[in-house]
Every structure is written in structure tokens, then in C-alpha cells.
Amino acid sequence: MKLVLIGAPAAGKGTQAARLVKHYGIAHISTGDMLREEVAKGTELGNQAKSIMAAGGLVSDELIIAIVKERIKKDDCKNGFILDGFPRTVVQAEKLEEMVTLDKVVYINAPDEVMLERLTARQTCPKCGATYNKMFLPSKKEGICDVCGEQLTQRKDDTVEAGKKRIQTFHEQSEPLVGFYEKEGILIEVDGTQPIDEITKSIIHGLDA
Ligand code: AMP
């Protein structure tokens, strides 16, 4: 099963992807996580991406396409994968078509105000990558990761200012993907304002139909 998850920042892509990879036994490919790892390691790629990410922009199509092309060749993708955060532009989507045949594209849709509110309440574990939300999905012990006990942090781009820019970037550059995949007849749209479990159910229902 080869899937793509589309949605504005904080629409719930990462949370749903984590559930879907367990359900279907496929690989989770988050381009945002991959870039954050490069930033943390201080590689050349990370240094190129760092300021663009912090400002809420997109790294170049060329760069991200090259990363994904290598990633999907890995062994853990044999049974399929979920691309979380890629493609984000029509150019990326066209290149992806040359690489693989997708089964479905899931679009998690929610109003801008909801996403901005969620985004600023988001907390991430810098060690294991688990994500929480002070409003909807709090950790059991405030500020501490349930999974590994690490102190939770806020992403540098989860501020109101960067968040607004990321939502704007989504509308300008990524929203056209909805029409792109609708035309191909592989788009499933789900209401991202539902409770997390309901969103998962809607997605699985759509995928298994
Ligand atoms: P995410 O964790 O998916 O919100 O991604 C964090 C940031 O990484 C984005 O705001 C972009 O700056 C960058 N990024 C992630 N995926 C892509 C992509 N497919 N194309 C361009 N930039 C990306």
C-alpha cells in the first residue's frame, strides 16, 4: 500500500500516519522529521534547510525529491509506505508519479484557525519523536514524554508567526495537490476537526472501501 497524507500544518498528519503504519504494517516517511534530523546533526543539507524551515517556507523541490527517491528504495518500504509531508508542491507530485504508483491520497482538512490553535499547543519529544498537544493529546506527566521520559520541547516553527506563514505556504503551494489527486480519482478527504480516533476510523474506512 502506497499512500500520501496531505494537510496543512497541525492538521494531524503525523498523528494519523503513526496509527496507519501500525494498522497496515508499512513504513512512515516524514520529510519534516528527516529534515529535522539533518538540522540536528548539522549536516550541509541541514544547514541549508534550517532557516527556511524556521521561517515556515519550503525547501527546494530538487533537494526534497532527491531525499525521497533514495528513502523509498529502502527495505522497510517493500510492503508500502505513507508519505507524510511529501509531496508539498505539484512539481513534487509529478516527480513522485515517475517514481511510484500511489494507491490513495488522504487529505485531512480543517479550518486555518483550528490548525493555528493546535500548532501552538503542540509538543514534541526530541528523543523519540512522539508528538503531544497540550489541548487534545497531553502527555500523562506535564512536559514529559510518555514513551521515553524525555523533556518535551516545542518545534521552532510551531510559533504563531511561523505557523501563520506555514498555513499560508500550504494554501499557496500545497492545496493545488487536492485538485491534482482528485482528478486522478485517488483522493479521500476526511474532516480533521473530528476527535483523533474518529479521523483514524474515517481514513481506514476510506482506504478499505
Ligand atoms: P513538517 O514536519 O511536515 O511540518 O515539515 C517541517 C518543514 O520541513 C516544512 O515547513 C518545510 O520547511 C520542510 N519540508 C518538509 N517536507 C517538505 C517538502 N515535501 N517540500 C519542501 N519542504 C518540506
Side-chain angles (χ1 to χ4, degrees):
M1 187 178 255
K2 298 186 183 73
L3 306 175
V4 160
L5 274 183
I6 306 179
K13 298 189 297 292
T15 304
Q16 295 302 328
R19 290 165 168 231
L20 295 170
V21 296
K22 268 195 200 152
H23 186 85
Y24 292 109
I26 53 182
H28 181 190
I29 304 177
S30 159
T31 44
D33 283 350
M34 289 166 81
L35 289 172
R36 276 184 290 278
E37 256 169 53
E38 298 292 330
V39 172
K41 282 194 249 164
T43 63
E44 199 186 321
L45 167 62
N47 292 338
Q48 279 181 44
K50 192 174 178 177
S51 56
I52 301 171
M53 291 170 76
L58 294 183
V59 307
S60 78
D61 285 335
E62 206 183 2
L63 203 142
I64 204 82
I65 288 162
I67 294 177
V68 171
K69 200 169 181 176
E70 286 311 304
R71 178 64 186 86
I72 59 177
K73 286 183 192 159
K74 293 203 170 158
D75 263 7
D76 65 337
C77 294
K78 277 196 183 126
N79 285 336
F81 51 76
I82 297 184
L83 284 164
D84 159 9
F86 181 94
R88 261 178 156 101
T89 65
V90 171
V91 171
Q92 293 178 16
E94 286 167 350
K95 284 287 172 194
L96 182 61
E97 301 247 287
E98 292 170 16
M99 297 181 218
V100 290
T101 304
L102 294 173
D103 293 296
K104 292 277 186 231
V105 174
V106 177
Y107 171 40
I108 308 179
N109 191 5
D112 291 359
E113 323 75 80
V114 173
M115 283 174 302
L116 193 62
E117 195 181 41
R118 277 191 200 162
L119 187 138
T120 49
R122 187 151 71 173
Q123 292 176 304
T124 313
C125 176
K127 196 169 164 197
C128 75
T131 54
Y132 301 89
N133 190 293
K134 285 186 222 164
M135 290 157 63
F136 309 102
L137 194 65
S139 54
K140 289 190 184 100
K141 203 169 158 199
E142 204 191 318
I144 303 292
C145 179
D146 293 349
V147 182
C148 69
E150 186 77 10
Q151 186 93 34
L152 299 175
T153 53
Q154 190 187 31
R155 269 170 55 172
K156 286 206 170 54
D157 57 355
D158 276 347
T159 57
V160 174
E161 194 191 356
K164 279 189 181 159
K165 174 70 179 131
R166 288 163 66 208
I167 291 171
Q168 185 193 342
T169 302
F170 170 78
H171 288 306
E172 288 170 3
Q173 310 225 43
S174 309
E175 215 167 20
L177 296 172
V178 175
F180 181 94
Y181 288 120
E182 212 162 28
K183 256 192 221 145
E184 297 199 350
I186 55 171
L187 189 84
I188 298 171
E189 182 168 340
V190 297
D191 174 5
T193 63
Q194 301 174 90
I196 293 172
D197 287 346
E198 294 306 312
I199 300 176
T200 311
K201 272 189 211 154
S202 303
I203 296 175
I204 291 175
H205 180 77
L207 293 176
D208 291 348

